[in-house]
């Protein structure tokens, strides 16, 4: 909505009309952003952040520079615009980045993720639409299907000529995917699968693309062959014809107005006896022969389910990366505003917001988190390349998705409040950033559920590890306990309150690791005793331990991110860059320790005076980083035209 | 926006069309909300919550039952609707509740606040519009003006026949009201004040009513008489004529699209040599004679400013109360949804969300906070009646406004996430609740600024107290230090880990009080030494101590709220009500202690094992409250038709 101006211009005094004080059509006359001198070269830092993916990021920046941000409030217009952008992005080859080389793609997932996340700087609706079309729809065909599906659909899908959706979640079952109720029954007479939604609650829900654009859906359903259940599998089901009408037997419903993402057409889908040819089952992990015989490369139904679901891992990495870009936008806006806005103090020169300790403390730790998240995600993308589908990567992806999306939500909130009334004006972008990214903590795995996934994976990895070890090795494993003893008793640790000691990565890691191991062994012990006693079934035991498991997952995440951040630093050669990144890494680590100081104190791992010293070190780091903070957001490299918030450009 | 339904109904099989699974126009078929048996009588608890104001609350509920919630996305339509509701509410006499009896009003501020907050259950836009028209515009005339202004304007203002606005905040000065730049210069020749906006930045900003509806504005400006400055005063300035055109010399600009509250017409105002009669100055705290002589009942310019600003206190109480109602709506929705939604576990009967420890832990402490806030606000309303304009009430109002609005923001966030995807659907109301209430933490005093106000007031009260005391009395004052010693050393405290001990209000209060006194004496000591050393001017010293001051203010708020909650309990006779409220009070207190356990541990006020015992007590309270939790939200008494979220009715 453009501003509606009611202006009374007296005809008597034309000289005064030109008084700039009343030229309200001008952009807000904010003073310049006070950048000062930085301790490092901003362009060099940007290079470090961009890593191998500078080129594709710039390509996406060029694409979005051509787009004009949607300003209206009409939802159908917004959806049409987002679709148009999607087609334009597809035409520029964004979808080809991850597609199989055999079909002319680049098969380069890291490149796709870098491209994807960059769209988050422009419009999260477009990001999500691209995520649905490329990551979920085309991605599911590529990963769950086999050559015939690839040949038949992939090229059109990545060119956005065939629009699709990913129909997994149901009204009654979101997090519990194994509990979905949509059925796919093999019918030998017709050599077809019959897709059915047996109940209202088994309707697919929140399906991006279902309300307006999607023609074909990857539908997850319980496979039944000759009255035998084979668990969840994926099927390609046409839902709309060329004219946009629902296909025979398909009922579509618009999810209506949402908190955000109103440019994405989420909807519900029900199926009534919809027949699809047998060959339209995505059959990489399980197939049915024309005679009605089921076979799968994975014999256990549970393992098969997790193999299929494992393909969600790259989606989680992508969401983590996108969320971090959203947080970068929010911080860029809030930090720059704080570097130009003055309030209180001498009437001639009031104090810059950024010079208030409270303002430093509210923004700078989030900046450290965003840098930490950035390097953790970059490492994760690489780990996923080296060892795709591994349990370890699944665990890390879940952990980092939780951290990045939650940090995104908190960052936007703090940034909005830090900009006061200006933060509430839609033109300054927090409104859309927040409303559109809000669902990140829920979709691609609800964070609460993912925390438990992380903890369970850690417990089962521990079990495997201990089983494979000779008894002597097991003792070795508990060496961490010795570390705890050292932290508790060694004078070099307990009595050392100096800043230089606190900023030793080795010390920070020791504390943060011990929190994880202590929680891990505690959970393992409690779980074993609950199960041994026979009082509780495994599910009930996990519910009983839910709070402890979540604490374990959080401790794991802290450690994971600090390790990745710290080891990324080691690869940075330029001393001034290394210094500034080390400070951010210290702030991330010490702020994590401060936030959890209750736990460290309770467990005698830090003393009362040391705990206070940690807080003072956090204060000091915020103060020390203040001079560089504008340059640190500049290094994200968001062009002014893309950032576009009037208070920040 | 109503749902857009694309439905393909095959003509061949009409019998199946009636299959309820596909009757998508039906309301979502959620299972019933599982209420179970409560330990108390819900209607009785509601009576306790309503206190003296049951009648007016029911009256407002009747009014809003007549209104239909706005569903569109067009902002001009929304504004028109909100204005219409405002006029209808005024016609029902809502504005008369606080107006002077001499003019036919009821002069009953507690009644007005109760009416006001109840509108928050319906639409926060209407709430804010009423707040602007009655609380700020009419309220400023009543409190800052004298009899002629009352007679001339008040009746029309409270009947919403004269629409007005409250023009205090400027583009360049929001929190720092003393720094505003709008000028009101007395011109003896015309016996007028000339109102001017000397710069672009001195334009009034975010003024509710300025963009569309307001005719008359209470304008805050620097008074200048014969080249002498007298500080900030308020003036009544017409900004729009009967036809809605801007008055001569007035420039109006729409603030445009905001994050929320788009049904409220916020705008900017600039003045160029706008002349108003001398009598249009609101002159209770300062007036200018026809001869150009200034006089005021308050000689100090600073004291005069704070007397004027003191009239904002009732606005802060009202915002605190409204924010708590918003939090009540959010909790009612999330708790009821958790009492019907099942996920994971046995396929035949999955586990109710409310039975997960993590779900209890995420929602129930907020419920305790909302109850705590409720009783604290009720007590504050009474204190404001007994001792209006006192410094103590100003401090409490700021503290409780901070707590209630921040708790509101956090509660909505947690409730949205706890409802997963359903929380993101606009019909389930979190979208509007959050977007519209988001600015509560900023307006009527930015929370960060108010934290410092609270701390400064506490420090100056301490100074006054010590000055008035004989030296022996001063020692008395530091008795709290003895309490700290007791907490640290007395075995009855240090070694007692029992639940029964932890839920003693006396013990909780001792801990929470000591946190305040320790922070207060620490701040006082530091401030004195900073000022004594002469190194820093007072302003710079306060900036230097900003983080400590904010910590003090938070500690004060905890104590204030716990005291009020605990003493409200004492007045409850019915044992079952007393028991349930005591549990909520314990949860509030122990959760506060848990959240700040880092501080308590650092200061040796609790031991490591005691700290863990506190966390276990919080877990236990959440578990114990689980059976009553649906009844506890039912007791808020929000009618289903007003709550209206499909997942919660």
């Amino acid at each position: 909505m453009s501003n509606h101006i009611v202006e009374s211009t007296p005809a008597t005094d034309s000289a005064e009309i030109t008084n700039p004080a009343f030229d309200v059509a001008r952009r807000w006359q904010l003073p310049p952003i006070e950048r000062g001198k930085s301790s490092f070269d901003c362009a060099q830092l940007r290079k470090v952040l961009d890593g191998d993916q500078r080129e594709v990021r710039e390509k996406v920046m060029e694409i979005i520079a051509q787009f004009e941000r949607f300003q209206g409030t009409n939802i159908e217009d917004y959806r049409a615009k987002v679709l148009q952008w999607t087609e334009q992005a597809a035409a520029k080859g964004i979808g080809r980045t991850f597609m199989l080389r055999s079909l002319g793609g680049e098969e380069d997932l890291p490149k796709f993720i870098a491209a994807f996340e960059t769209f988050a700087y422009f419009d999260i609706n477009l990001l999500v639409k691209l995520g649905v079309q490329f990551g979920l729809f085309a991605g599911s065909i590529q990963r769950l299907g086999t050559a015939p599906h690839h040949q038949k659909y992939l090229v059109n899908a990545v060119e956005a000529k065939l629009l699709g959706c990913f129909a997994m979640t149901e009204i009654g079952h979101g997090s519990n995917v194994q509990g979905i109720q949509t059925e796919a029954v093999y019918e030998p007479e017709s050599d077809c699968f019959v897709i059915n939604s047996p109940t209202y609650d088994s309707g697919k829900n929140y399906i991006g693309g279902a309300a307006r654009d999607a023609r074909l859906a990857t539908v997850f359903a319980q496979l039944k062959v000759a009255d035998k259940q084979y668990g969840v599998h994926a099927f390609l089901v046409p839902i709309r014809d060329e004219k946009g009408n629902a296909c025979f037997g398909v009922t579509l419903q618009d999810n209506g107005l949402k908190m955000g993402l109103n440019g994405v057409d989420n909807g519900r889908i029900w199926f009534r006896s919809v027949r699809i040819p047998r060959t339209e089952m995505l059959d990489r992990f399980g197939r049915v022969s024309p005679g009605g015989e089921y076979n799968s490369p994975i014999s256990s139904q549970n393992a098969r389910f997790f193999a299929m679901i494992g393909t969600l891992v790259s989606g989680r990495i992508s969401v983590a990366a996108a969320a971090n870009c959203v947080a970068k936008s929010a911080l860029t806006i809030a930090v720059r505003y704080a570097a130009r806005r003055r309030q209180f103090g001498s009437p001639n020169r009031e104090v810059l917001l950024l010079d208030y300790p409270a303002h430093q403390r509210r923004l700078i730790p989030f900046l450290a988190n965003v840098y930490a998240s950035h390097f953790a995600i970059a490492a994760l993308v690489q780990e996923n390349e080296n060892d795709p589908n591994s349990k370890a990567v699944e665990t890390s992806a879940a952990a980092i998705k939780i951290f990045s999306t939650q940090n995104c939500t908190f960052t936007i909130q703090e940034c909005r409040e830090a900009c006061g009334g200006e933060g509430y004006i839609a033109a300054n972008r927090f409104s859309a950033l927040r409303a559109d990214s809000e669902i990140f903590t829920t979709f691609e795995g609800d964070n609460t559920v993912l925390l438990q996934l992380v903890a369970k994976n850690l417990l089962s990895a521990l079990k495997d590890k201990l089983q494979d070890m000779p008894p002597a090795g097991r003792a070795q494993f508990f060496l961490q306990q010795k570390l705890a003893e050292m932290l508790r008793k060694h004078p070099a640790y307990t009595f050392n309150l100096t800043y230089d000691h606190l900023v030793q990565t080795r010390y920070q890691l020791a504390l943060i690791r011990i929190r994880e191991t202590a929680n891990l062994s505690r959970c393992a012990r409690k779980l074993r005793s609950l199960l041994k006693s026979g009082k509780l079934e495994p599910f009930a035991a996990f519910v009983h331990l839910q709070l402890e498991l979540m604490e374990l997952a959080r401790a794991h995440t802290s450690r994971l991110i600090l390790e990745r951040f710290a080891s990324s630093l080691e690869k940075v050669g330029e001393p001034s860059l290394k210094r500034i990144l080390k400070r951010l890494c210290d702030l991330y680590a010490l702020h994590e320790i401060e936030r959890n100081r209750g736990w460290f104190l309770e467990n005698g791992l830090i003393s009362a005076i040391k705990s206070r010293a940690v807080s003072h070190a956090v204060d000091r780091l915020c103060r020390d980083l203040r001079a560089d903070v504008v340059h640190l957001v500049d290094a994200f490299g968001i062009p002014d035209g893309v950032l576009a918030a009037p208070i920040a450009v």
Side-chain angles (χ1 to χ4, degrees), chain A residues 332-440:
Chain A
T332 304
I333 298 166
V335 165
R336 288 188 185 169
Y337 182 64
R340 69 189 344 172
R341 173 77 173 179
R342 295 172 175 276
Q343 201 79 169
F344 290 112
S346 156
N348 302 323
R349 194 158 176 78
E350 297 183 59
V351 176
L352 211 54
L353 295 192
L354 208 44
D355 286 326
Y356 285 105
H359 219 80
Q360 294 166 8
R361 260 283 193 164
R362 78 194 297 183
L363 294 181
I364 303 179
F366 283 113
L367 188 63
N369 284 354
V370 163
Y371 269 87
S373 208
H374 178 98
F375 287 106
I377 292 164
L380 176 62
V381 167
Q382 204 44 59
E383 288 157 31
N384 187 44
E385 281 297 286
N386 301 341
D387 191 12
N389 306 322
S390 75
K391 211 75 186 162
V393 169
E394 184 198 52
T395 310
S396 300
I400 293 172
K401 186 264 177 184
I402 296 162
F403 180 82
S404 173
T405 56
Q406 183 178 313
N407 188 58
C408 170
T409 299
F410 290 162
T411 301
I412 299 170
Q413 183 67 33
E414 199 66 52
C415 288
R416 194 306 284 162
E417 292 185 24
C419 293
E422 281 303 325
Y424 200 60
I425 299 295
N428 290 323
R429 300 206 44 230
F430 293 114
S431 176
L433 289 177
R434 195 169 75 164
D436 294 338
S437 71
E438 168 66 28
I439 202 68
F440 286 4

Side-chain angles (χ1 to χ4, degrees), chain A residues 42-352:
Chain A
C42 193
Q44 272 189 326
L45 179 56
R46 203 185 144 197
K47 254 187 205 160
V48 170
L49 291 176
D50 280 343
D52 300 335
Q53 303 297 347
R54 176 68 167 245
E55 200 185 326
V56 72
R57 282 185 229 266
E58 295 203 326
K59 182 178 169 181
V60 172
M61 288 295 189
E62 273 167 38
I63 296 173
I64 61 188
Q66 311 292 315
F67 297 163
E68 205 175 317
R69 206 167 252 131
F70 182 77
Q71 302 285 343
T73 55
N74 182 290
I75 287 159
E76 291 308 320
D77 293 350
Y78 201 178
R79 289 173 170 184
K81 179 52 84 180
V82 171
L83 176 60
Q84 192 193 341
W85 289 332
T86 302
E87 289 165 344
Q88 287 168 345
K92 300 274 185 186
I94 297 303
R96 294 192 164 270
T97 48
F98 73 89
M99 194 178 55
L100 299 169
R101 279 204 202 93
S102 57
L103 293 170
E106 301 179 60
E107 232 170 296
D108 185 345
L109 187 61
K111 186 172 175 183
F112 174 71
I113 293 173
F116 173 77
E117 65 168 35
T118 306
F119 284 99
Y121 292 127
F122 172 62
D123 185 313
I124 304 172
N125 290 265
L126 173 57
L127 174 99
V128 170
K129 190 85 176 170
L130 291 171
V132 168
Q133 176 67 22
F134 298 150
L136 295 176
F137 172 61
S140 63
I141 296 173
Q142 180 159 317
R143 284 183 296 248
L144 301 178
T146 48
H149 308 111
H150 300 160
Q151 273 147 26
K152 188 167 172 192
Y153 296 116
L154 267 185
V155 173
N156 281 335
V158 301
E159 288 181 354
K161 286 173 184 158
L162 171 66
L163 296 172
C165 63
F166 183 83
M168 177 182 271
T169 296
E170 296 181 358
I171 296 169
H173 290 91
S175 295
N176 180 10
V177 178
Q178 266 185 303
I180 59 168
Q181 297 180 304
T182 302
E183 289 175 350
V185 180
Y186 180 64
E187 190 180 64
E189 311 83 87
S190 60
D191 198 25
C192 280
F193 291 105
V194 186
I195 313 291
N196 246 311
S197 313
T199 60
Y200 179 88
D201 282 6
S202 64
K204 297 295 177 182
N205 201 8
Y206 317 121
I207 309 304
R212 183 181 182 272
D213 298 327
R215 300 277 151 104
L216 187 64
T218 297
V219 175
F220 288 80
Q222 303 286 356
L223 172 65
K224 219 184 200 172
V225 185
D227 283 333
K228 216 182 143 197
Q229 299 275 5
Y230 292 92
V232 175
H233 288 73
F235 304 84
L236 291 171
V237 187
I239 58 168
R240 252 190 205 85
D241 63 21
E242 287 303 309
K243 288 183 188 152
N245 294 319
C247 293
F248 186 87
V250 173
T251 302
L252 301 169
Q253 187 187 38
D254 199 315
N255 271 130
L257 196 64
K258 302 184 298 287
M259 182 178 273
L261 294 181
N262 283 305
V264 180
D265 54 324
N266 292 84
R268 292 175 174 163
I269 317 174
W270 291 263
F271 303 97
R272 178 169 43 182
S273 303
V274 175
R275 280 178 179 73
I276 57 162
R278 186 180 49 82
T279 50
E280 295 299 281
M281 175 179 181
L282 293 172
D283 57 357
R284 179 172 158 207
F285 292 111
R287 66 178 61 188
V288 176
S289 73
E293 241 170 85
Y294 177 82
N295 68 65
S296 162
I298 305 172
S299 56
S300 141
Q301 187 169 314
N302 219 34
R304 200 187 307 139
F305 174 74
F306 285 105
M308 263 183 258
I309 293 295
T311 61
L312 293 175
V313 164
S314 60
R316 286 187 188 138
I317 301 174
S318 305
V319 169
N324 212 40
C325 289
V326 175
K328 286 176 186 172
S329 291
L331 278 166
T332 304
I333 298 166
V335 165
R336 288 188 185 169
Y337 182 64
R340 69 189 344 172
R341 173 77 173 179
R342 295 172 175 276
Q343 201 79 169
F344 290 112
S346 156
N348 302 323
R349 194 158 176 78
E350 297 183 59
V351 176
L352 211 54

Side-chain angles (χ1 to χ4, degrees), chain A residues 511-524:
Chain A
L511 276 180
I512 279 178
R513 280 184 183 141
I514 204 71
R515 181 167 159 243
E516 180 185 5
T517 13
N519 275 294
L520 181 59
S521 51
R522 185 165 170 239
C523 285

